[in-house]
Amino acid sequence: ALPRDGDGSCSPSQSTSCVSTACRGQLDATRREVEEREREIEKLRAQEEGLRSDADASRRDLEARDREIEALRTQEERFRGDADALRREVEARDRELDALRAEVVASAQASED
């Protein structure tokens, strides 16, 4: 049996034969673990990229909706301005009609006299 450290790994003082025989299994296991972790890291990077892409798309959607909302607000302000102008026009026409009515009444009364 080859000498081992307390944790079962080869000690640095052992010969290269330890590395070539007894530690090969441990190195292979470590290599497989490293490769597995690298695959996990790649998966996580791909997920991160997907999430960033989704976040960018969501940000663009929100920006587009913000522009739509701003356009609607501008349109609303224009409509309010148009409504105010129409209200003033109606009020002016009502005053004209009242004046014409008063004129007709005055004319009718003058013709009676």
Side-chain angles (χ1 to χ4, degrees):
L2 296 170
R4 303 271 180 164
D5 285 345
D7 64 359
S9 62
C10 294
S11 67
S13 63
Q14 293 174 338
S15 69
T16 56
S17 65
C18 172
V19 172
S20 63
T21 56
C23 292
R24 183 170 288 146
Q26 183 179 354
L27 289 172
D28 288 343
T30 301
R31 188 174 298 119
R32 284 190 301 272
E33 185 177 337
V34 166
E35 289 169 354
E36 182 179 332
R37 297 263 169 100
E38 286 173 343
R39 285 190 298 273
E40 289 174 10
I41 288 169
E42 286 304 313
K43 265 200 245 179
L44 290 172
R45 284 185 178 144
Q47 288 176 351
E48 177 189 25
E49 186 177 323
L51 290 172
R52 285 183 191 274
S53 177
D54 291 348
D56 288 343
S58 294
R59 180 184 42 77
R60 286 190 303 274
D61 287 347
L62 286 173
E63 289 170 351
R65 288 184 181 163
D66 284 346
R67 287 189 297 274
E68 289 175 15
I69 289 169
E70 189 56 37
L72 289 171
R73 285 183 178 148
T74 300
Q75 187 176 27
E76 178 187 24
E77 289 173 15
R78 192 181 75 239
F79 287 158
R80 286 180 192 260
D82 292 349
D84 286 344
L86 288 172
R87 182 184 48 77
R88 287 190 298 275
E89 188 177 328
V90 167
E91 289 171 351
R93 298 286 168 111
D94 283 345
R95 286 190 297 274
E96 289 174 10
L97 283 173
D98 289 344
L100 287 172
R101 283 187 194 115
E103 191 177 311
V104 168
V105 168
S107 190
Q109 287 177 350
S111 64
E112 286 178 4
D113 293 339

